[in-house]
Amino acid sequence: MAAATEQSSAQGTAPTWHGIVLETLKRNEIRLTPYVPDKVLTPLIKNLHADPYFNTFPTAREEEAVGIVSGAWMAGMRGAVLMQTSGFATLANVLASLAVPYQIPLIMFVSERGTLGEFNYGQALVCRTMRPVLDSLAMEHHTITRLDELEFIADRSIKQAITTQAPVALILNPLLTGGKVFNK
């Protein structure tokens, strides 16, 4: 049984996707977690803020968060960026000119919007183009849909990113997170 799942079982609570991500970040010594505010990522963001292990703060744009994590890596600190799909649309240049060529193990957690009943056409368009952009940059990426696969994929992806000094995107699908709730 995986570490985060064991901890939840010992506490008598069911594991949550955000609890698993938090514990996986800790286990991989990732302390820096800048983010762009996002409704889907709110439970994770709140728990990161509440845990003194993490240095968590909002940024104005995704490129800013990537720059902060990249600079921190060069100074010897590990970090991960939290964002939603639409924010990914702004990242092609910073990924192609910084993270990829300078071999920065940028870890991105992307809450996926633009699918499964999305009402915002802009979100849907970026969702359809995100994976082809990642592929064109030869960036590792995984779409996580199930709780039982989250810890394994996140942990192994982080370890691979650090070892190979290559960025990775972990796309958190609405089947995992519940997605954004749309009010009528």
Side-chain angles (χ1 to χ4, degrees):
M1 191 182 290
T5 305
E6 286 175 6
Q7 182 181 14
S8 293
S9 296
Q11 295 172 350
T13 59
T16 61
W17 70 266
H18 46 88
I20 291 170
V21 170
L22 185 141
E23 290 303 320
T24 303
L25 291 171
K26 271 188 178 177
R27 196 170 45 259
N28 285 283
E29 299 175 5
I30 294 173
R31 293 178 174 273
L32 182 65
T33 52
Y35 64 91
V36 176
D38 173 50
K39 183 77 170 168
V40 174
L41 294 174
T42 295
L44 174 59
I45 291 166
K46 284 182 177 180
N47 288 330
L48 290 169
H49 274 291
D51 191 323
Y53 180 85
F54 296 99
N55 185 0
T56 303
F57 53 91
T59 60
R61 295 180 56 87
E62 290 75 11
E63 304 96 288
E64 178 184 5
V66 169
I68 290 166
V69 168
S70 296
W73 171 257
M74 292 177 199
M77 180 182 228
R78 295 178 182 180
V81 174
L82 311 176
M83 71 182 85
Q84 71 171 265
T85 305
S86 63
F88 182 84
T90 68
L91 292 183
N93 182 53
V94 74
L95 294 174
S97 64
L98 178 62
V100 173
Y102 289 96
Q103 297 178 283
I104 297 168
L106 173 67
I107 296 142
M108 297 183 295
F109 284 90
V110 183
S111 68
E112 187 173 25
R113 292 266 317 266
T115 186
L116 299 174
E118 177 64 53
F119 68 92
N120 183 325
Y121 180 69
Q123 292 281 5
L125 184 60
V126 175
C127 185
R128 288 194 298 269
T129 60
M130 179 172 51
R131 290 171 186 82
V133 169
L134 290 165
D135 289 338
S136 72
L137 294 169
M139 276 185 58
E140 187 82 16
H141 59 91
H142 301 281
T143 301
I144 306 169
T145 60
R146 297 186 347 237
L147 193 63
D148 66 337
E149 66 187 12
L150 172 59
E151 185 173 8
F152 180 84
I153 293 172
D155 184 65
R156 295 290 177 96
S157 296
I158 292 167
K159 285 174 173 35
Q160 180 176 340
I162 292 166
T163 302
T164 63
Q165 294 188 331
V168 64
L170 299 167
I171 303 163
L172 306 176
N173 185 272
L175 293 171
L176 173 72
T177 64
K180 184 171 181 180
V181 177
F182 303 105
N183 296 326
K184 292 184 178 188

